[in-house]
Amino acid sequence: MNADALRGHLDALLLSVLEHEPRHGYAIIEALRERSGGALDLPTGTIYPALRRLERAGYLASEWATVGGRKRRTYRLTGAGRAELAGERSAWTSFTTVISSVLDPSRPDPSR
Amino acid sequence: MNADALRGHLDALLLSVLEHEPRHGYAIIEALRERSGGALDLPTGTIYPALRRLERAGYLASEWATVGGRKRRTYRLTGAGRAELAGERSAWTSFTTVISSVLDPSRPDPSR
DNA sequence: GGCTACATATAGAGAGCCTACATGTAGACT
DNA sequence: AGTCTACATGTAGGCTCTCTATATGTAGCC
């Protein structure tokens, strides 16, 4: 998976993974890996700053917890985050439609 | 269309538009606008540097021409560019598959 | 003379993802 | 006791791409 390709779509992935249950950063990375069949194995240096950015934007809220002697910062979707996720999903659909229509290989000469 | 979303996919778009016929920069912008139904209206500051980058990479070759008193730099796909386009197309397919699978909204609690 | 369409080009800004590094706990194995 | 792996979070800096803004010039119409 090319790094640039992901750009601008990571937010949607993170919000989507948090849709039905709160998770902490490490668990989010694992969830993304699972849901993508191993294709997405994102480094912590990508995930943690992104989560903070989304929290600053008001889409996520976080709380600290200690489980088995280890500290976790657990993130959950806010109302605004839920709305944002819906918007990102529809943006994703139009995005793929547009790019696919341009990439469509079946373009034999239109004249003749 | 968000600027970040496009990142990493522009190359494929450019190569695709040049697949069946050479075009100059201005015509490429118009072709993208047409094929995307108006959704893609990319600025010259995006297109021209990208074309040069692709030429430097060996995917495109260019020649100057004068048409109606105006100078055009016409780009065409090279063999390497054709191969790259094929690769980009398959990368696009796997990319959308992966992201869509993570974004899939139908994830009602797996237990119960 | 001024406007629009055609046509190319570059400098600099902005933003996001990644690499690399830093820190620490828990548990298993030797 | 020492080492290793998994778990867990975080930041600094770099890289690269796209966009904004600006510059330059021709052709044709009003």
Side-chain angles (χ1 to χ4, degrees):
Chain A
M1 176 78 55
N2 179 17
D4 281 319
L6 196 58
R7 224 183 225 237
H9 306 292
L10 178 60
D11 292 8
L13 297 179
L14 294 175
L15 296 176
S16 182
V17 142
L18 292 171
E19 187 178 19
H20 299 301
E21 45 178 334
R23 280 185 161 98
H24 62 287
Y26 196 88
I28 290 171
I29 293 173
E30 287 179 325
L32 287 174
R33 194 163 40 219
E34 267 177 52
R35 286 203 191 182
S36 67
L40 285 175
D41 193 5
L42 303 179
T44 65
T46 293
I47 297 299
Y48 290 111
L51 290 171
R52 288 169 158 276
R53 181 164 45 77
L54 290 172
E55 184 171 26
R56 230 171 22 242
Y59 301 142
L60 298 180
S62 71
E63 278 153 27
W64 282 98
T66 304
V67 177
R70 293 194 189 94
K71 282 184 179 176
R72 292 174 174 176
R73 191 204 277 263
T74 304
Y75 290 90
R76 59 176 173 79
L77 269 190
T78 63
R82 220 163 278 279
E84 174 68 10
L85 174 57
E88 298 259 22
R89 282 204 174 110
S90 93
W92 169 251
T93 302
S94 16
F95 174 70
T96 54
T97 302
V98 166
I99 304 297
S100 292
S101 75
V102 176
L103 245 45
D104 182 11
S106 64
R107 293 217 175 239
D109 41 343
S111 59
R112 183 158 40 111
Chain B
M1 175 78 57
N2 178 18
D4 281 319
L6 196 60
R7 218 181 226 238
H9 305 292
L10 178 61
D11 292 9
L13 298 179
L14 294 175
L15 296 176
S16 182
V17 142
L18 292 171
E19 187 179 19
H20 299 301
E21 45 178 334
R23 282 186 161 98
H24 62 288
Y26 196 88
I28 290 171
I29 292 173
E30 288 179 327
L32 287 174
R33 193 164 41 220
E34 268 177 52
R35 286 203 191 184
S36 66
L40 284 176
D41 193 6
L42 303 179
T44 64
T46 294
I47 298 299
Y48 291 111
L51 289 171
R52 287 170 158 275
R53 182 165 44 77
L54 290 172
E55 184 171 27
R56 230 171 22 243
Y59 301 142
L60 298 181
S62 69
E63 279 154 25
W64 281 98
T66 304
V67 176
R70 293 194 189 94
K71 281 184 179 177
R72 294 175 174 175
R73 190 203 278 265
T74 304
Y75 289 91
R76 60 176 173 77
L77 269 189
T78 64
R82 221 163 276 280
E84 174 68 11
L85 174 56
E88 298 259 22
R89 281 204 174 110
S90 94
W92 168 252
T93 301
S94 15
F95 174 70
T96 54
T97 302
V98 166
I99 304 298
S100 292
S101 76
V102 175
L103 246 42
D104 182 11
S106 63
R107 293 216 176 240
D109 40 344
S111 61
R112 183 158 38 111

